[in-house]
Amino acid sequence: MDTSSLPSNYNVNRRTSVSAESLAPSSADDTNWRAPSYPKTAEQQSRLRAAVSHNFLFSHLDDDSSAQVLAALQERKVPAKDVRVIVQGDAGDYFYVVERGSFDIYVSSSGHVEPGPEGMGNKVASSGPGTSFGELALMYNAPRAATVVSTEPSILWQLDRVTFRRILMDSAFQRRRMYESFLEEVPLLSSLTAYERSKIADALETTKYPDNTPIIKEGDVGDRFYLLESGEAKAIKRGVNGAVKLYKKGDYFGELALLDDKPRAASVVSKGEGCKVAWLGKDGFQRLLGSVEGVLRRDDPRQTSR
Ligand SMILES: Nc1ncnc2c1ncn2[C@@H]1O[C@@H]2COP(=O)(O)O[C@H]2[C@H]1O
């Protein structure tokens, strides 16, 4: 098993007991399996659609899978703050999408919650509307890696482990696998945790450009942030001879227009053998790269190439 996406204190060897059936998302008797379908009012449907619309794990599903997953999601109201929706060390049963409210996520280095007020360990993250949690135990058949606690009355949508594994997991796994090792080598992201990088992996899209093809055009409105996955590219500016910046694997561009809502400050063009880029839309950029905004502003290329 590839464990590179796991938190460092994640004990992969401590398995929980789960039935063989639930471990085999693509088993031979696939034809007999049907996702559960929970009836919903029109009002619930529209809230659910809005809640999943910004969640990247759902964005790559075909229409049929998407309909099955939406039908299988069940509303769960969390009536108060301090409700432990997930307890570190427990077996995984559901994956959760947050519709409303917020949750804090704690990790105890012992792998499970200890008695006493500090027993949940350190707070490592928070989760708000449109985000999701609880996928790790289901993906890796391992105990819950963290404790997730409500900080106010909230609304969740929960998906059972079998439906998660059969419909959502393949695409989630593939994207995380595909990008994990690349993202580890991107200097900009080195201050993030492995878990934060795996969330970025969920959100990335890939595009290939042949040699000498514009990726960004100076003056355009910016809606994507790019990481150079392979090949080369250069930045050029009207009225300036030669490239103002060269990009190689692991470099990024397209951040300035997104940071300040200004038009693209330069064009970026593929060069050499062309290139492959991984990109995040503006929404993903703002949600997932908020903590590196300081680095992006500090390293503003206009300070050296103007
Ligand atoms: N740093 C982190 N380490 C482990 N789990 C995390 C972390 N941040 C968020 N989580 C989420 O907390 C969830 C706890 O249950 P799971 O292990 O199933 O999946 C975990 C992740 O979805």
Side-chain angles (χ1 to χ4, degrees), residues 32-67:
N32 292 330
W33 179 80
R34 286 239 162 132
S37 178
Y38 298 101
K40 294 173 185 78
T41 63
E43 181 265 345
Q44 277 182 309
Q45 301 252 23
S46 79
R47 284 194 284 114
L48 173 57
R49 284 226 167 79
V52 301
S53 64
H54 294 289
N55 193 289
F56 303 106
L57 288 184
F58 295 86
S59 54
H60 298 99
L61 296 177
D62 59 37
D63 290 350
D64 184 44
S65 302
S66 173

XYZ file of all heavy atoms in Angstrom, residues 32-67:
290
model
N -24.962 -7.413 -8.412
C -26.000 -7.519 -7.381
C -26.031 -6.313 -6.452
O -26.966 -6.148 -5.683
C -25.783 -8.763 -6.513
C -26.028 -10.001 -7.323
O -26.830 -9.971 -8.250
N -25.323 -11.069 -7.000
N -25.018 -5.521 -6.529
C -24.931 -4.421 -5.586
C -25.676 -3.196 -6.098
O -25.579 -2.833 -7.262
C -23.472 -4.063 -5.313
C -23.354 -2.919 -4.350
C -23.463 -2.976 -2.990
C -23.143 -1.547 -4.672
N -23.337 -1.730 -2.455
C -23.138 -0.835 -3.456
C -22.971 -0.851 -5.867
C -22.953 0.545 -3.403
C -22.792 0.527 -5.823
C -22.776 1.202 -4.591
N -26.417 -2.585 -5.215
C -27.101 -1.329 -5.547
C -26.818 -0.337 -4.446
O -26.933 -0.691 -3.263
C -28.612 -1.547 -5.562
C -29.052 -2.316 -6.766
C -30.032 -1.458 -7.503
N -30.156 -1.967 -8.853
C -31.314 -2.170 -9.428
N -32.404 -1.908 -8.772
N -31.363 -2.603 -10.653
N -26.521 0.877 -4.814
C -26.329 1.908 -3.791
C -27.663 2.138 -3.087
O -28.710 2.092 -3.733
C -25.860 3.200 -4.444
N -27.653 2.374 -1.769
C -28.910 2.699 -1.100
C -29.452 4.018 -1.646
O -28.695 4.837 -2.172
C -28.506 2.856 0.374
C -27.045 3.088 0.367
C -26.496 2.462 -0.882
N -30.758 4.190 -1.551
C -31.335 5.435 -2.053
C -32.266 6.001 -0.984
O -33.243 5.359 -0.622
C -32.101 5.135 -3.340
O -32.690 6.319 -3.801
N -31.919 7.153 -0.456
C -32.729 7.762 0.599
C -33.575 8.880 -0.003
O -33.019 9.834 -0.581
C -31.816 8.312 1.707
C -31.011 7.219 2.360
C -29.675 7.030 2.023
C -31.604 6.347 3.270
C -28.933 5.999 2.590
C -30.881 5.314 3.840
C -29.547 5.145 3.497
O -28.831 4.122 4.047
N -34.907 8.748 0.109
C -35.783 9.772 -0.472
C -35.500 11.145 0.136
O -35.176 11.230 1.329
C -37.196 9.310 -0.093
C -37.048 7.907 0.385
C -35.643 7.710 0.824
N -35.614 12.176 -0.690
C -35.359 13.541 -0.211
C -36.429 14.480 -0.720
O -36.907 14.317 -1.841
C -33.992 14.025 -0.715
C -32.854 13.237 -0.114
C -31.508 13.563 -0.710
C -30.441 12.645 -0.147
N -30.440 11.296 -0.738
N -36.730 15.480 0.089
C -37.663 16.518 -0.378
C -36.929 17.400 -1.389
O -35.687 17.381 -1.466
C -38.120 17.413 0.786
O -36.948 18.078 1.293
C -38.771 16.604 1.898
N -37.694 18.204 -2.126
C -37.076 19.111 -3.102
C -36.123 20.073 -2.388
O -35.046 20.411 -2.887
C -38.162 19.884 -3.845
N -36.528 20.467 -1.200
C -35.697 21.417 -0.434
C -34.382 20.737 -0.018
O -33.300 21.318 -0.133
C -36.533 21.870 0.773
C -35.882 22.868 1.706
C -35.197 22.219 2.900
O -35.447 21.027 3.175
O -34.395 22.891 3.541
N -34.456 19.476 0.410
C -33.222 18.761 0.777
C -32.316 18.581 -0.444
O -31.110 18.740 -0.365
C -33.573 17.371 1.329
C -33.958 17.369 2.784
C -34.239 15.947 3.253
O -35.008 15.219 2.635
N -33.584 15.546 4.328
N -32.953 18.226 -1.556
C -32.169 18.029 -2.787
C -31.373 19.267 -3.143
O -30.208 19.183 -3.521
C -33.100 17.767 -3.984
C -33.971 16.585 -3.834
C -33.526 15.457 -4.751
O -32.366 15.442 -5.138
N -34.410 14.548 -5.065
N -32.035 20.436 -3.017
C -31.321 21.631 -3.458
C -30.219 21.991 -2.462
O -29.133 22.422 -2.864
C -32.268 22.788 -3.759
O -32.669 23.389 -2.580
N -30.448 21.741 -1.173
C -29.363 21.992 -0.209
C -28.196 21.046 -0.461
O -27.034 21.426 -0.410
C -29.877 21.809 1.224
C -30.727 22.967 1.712
C -30.919 22.899 3.216
N -31.873 21.891 3.640
C -31.580 20.806 4.352
N -30.339 20.558 4.714
N -32.507 19.941 4.698
N -28.531 19.781 -0.743
C -27.475 18.792 -0.983
C -26.652 19.160 -2.221
O -25.415 19.127 -2.199
C -28.107 17.406 -1.150
C -27.176 16.275 -1.576
C -26.017 16.132 -0.603
C -27.937 14.949 -1.659
N -27.342 19.528 -3.290
C -26.621 19.906 -4.519
C -25.646 21.041 -4.244
O -24.509 21.033 -4.688
C -27.597 20.369 -5.593
C -28.297 19.241 -6.223
C -28.336 19.352 -7.758
N -28.763 18.062 -8.271
C -30.030 17.677 -8.276
N -30.965 18.487 -7.870
N -30.360 16.485 -8.715
N -26.138 22.035 -3.494
C -25.269 23.181 -3.196
C -24.080 22.735 -2.347
O -22.944 23.154 -2.573
C -26.060 24.265 -2.478
N -24.321 21.826 -1.403
C -23.233 21.400 -0.508
C -22.135 20.655 -1.266
O -20.955 20.817 -0.970
C -23.788 20.524 0.614
N -22.510 19.833 -2.244
C -21.473 19.054 -2.947
C -20.898 19.797 -4.150
O -19.898 19.369 -4.719
C -21.975 17.654 -3.395
C -22.439 16.837 -2.210
C -23.051 17.751 -4.448
N -21.522 20.927 -4.516
C -21.109 21.550 -5.778
C -19.663 22.030 -5.766
O -19.023 22.093 -6.807
C -22.047 22.699 -6.138
O -21.936 23.695 -5.155
N -19.125 22.350 -4.592
C -17.735 22.817 -4.561
C -16.779 21.735 -4.085
O -15.615 21.998 -3.840
C -17.602 24.036 -3.646
C -18.343 25.216 -4.167
N -17.933 25.909 -5.276
C -19.491 25.794 -3.759
C -18.792 26.877 -5.522
N -19.754 26.820 -4.617
N -17.282 20.516 -3.914
C -16.405 19.466 -3.398
C -15.777 18.704 -4.562
O -16.473 18.134 -5.395
C -17.200 18.535 -2.495
C -16.271 17.641 -1.714
O -15.656 16.755 -2.290
N -16.129 17.898 -0.432
N -14.436 18.695 -4.580
C -13.747 18.164 -5.747
C -13.909 16.659 -5.919
O -13.793 16.146 -7.019
C -12.264 18.535 -5.682
C -12.072 20.003 -5.579
C -11.689 20.601 -4.397
C -12.331 20.817 -6.664
C -11.556 21.973 -4.283
C -12.203 22.194 -6.582
C -11.814 22.766 -5.384
N -14.190 15.948 -4.824
C -14.345 14.494 -4.970
C -15.561 14.146 -5.827
O -15.651 13.068 -6.385
C -14.488 13.821 -3.605
C -13.226 13.769 -2.754
C -13.497 13.000 -1.478
C -12.083 13.111 -3.515
N -16.503 15.083 -5.923
C -17.710 14.808 -6.695
C -17.615 15.322 -8.134
O -18.437 14.992 -8.962
C -18.927 15.469 -6.029
C -19.233 14.900 -4.682
C -18.604 15.380 -3.554
C -20.129 13.854 -4.551
C -18.869 14.849 -2.308
C -20.400 13.310 -3.312
C -19.768 13.805 -2.181
N -16.608 16.150 -8.397
C -16.645 16.865 -9.677
C -16.240 16.001 -10.872
O -16.457 16.398 -11.997
C -15.796 18.129 -9.599
O -14.505 17.812 -9.186
N -15.655 14.828 -10.626
C -15.239 14.012 -11.772
C -16.148 12.819 -12.013
O -15.820 11.933 -12.786
C -13.792 13.532 -11.578
C -12.845 14.677 -11.502
N -12.374 15.176 -10.309
C -12.330 15.466 -12.469
C -11.602 16.215 -10.551
N -11.552 16.425 -11.837
N -17.293 12.801 -11.353
C -18.195 11.658 -11.525
C -19.026 11.819 -12.797
O -19.429 12.928 -13.144
C -19.149 11.576 -10.336
C -18.521 11.293 -8.980
C -19.600 11.330 -7.908
C -17.821 9.941 -8.988
N -19.307 10.681 -13.470
C -20.233 10.783 -14.605
C -21.666 10.923 -14.054
O -21.888 10.790 -12.847
C -20.083 9.570 -15.538
C -20.357 8.266 -14.819
O -21.256 8.248 -13.961
O -19.662 7.274 -15.095
N -22.614 11.196 -14.941
C -23.977 11.508 -14.487
C -24.601 10.384 -13.672
O -25.255 10.619 -12.652
C -24.888 11.811 -15.692
C -24.507 13.124 -16.333
O -23.691 13.866 -15.732
O -25.009 13.411 -17.437
N -24.347 9.148 -14.116
C -24.958 8.008 -13.452
C -24.400 7.850 -12.029
O -25.146 7.697 -11.056
C -24.663 6.764 -14.308
C -25.345 5.556 -13.737
O -26.518 5.698 -13.355
O -24.700 4.492 -13.645
N -23.069 7.914 -11.910
C -22.446 7.781 -10.587
C -22.888 8.921 -9.685
O -23.147 8.740 -8.492
C -20.922 7.819 -10.689
O -20.467 6.799 -11.524
N -22.949 10.105 -10.262
C -23.322 11.262 -9.482
C -24.750 11.100 -8.934
O -25.010 11.360 -7.757
C -23.187 12.483 -10.391
O -23.659 13.587 -9.777
N -25.656 10.613 -9.761
C -27.039 10.406 -9.304
C -27.082 9.363 -8.184
O -27.805 9.524 -7.196
C -27.909 9.971 -10.485
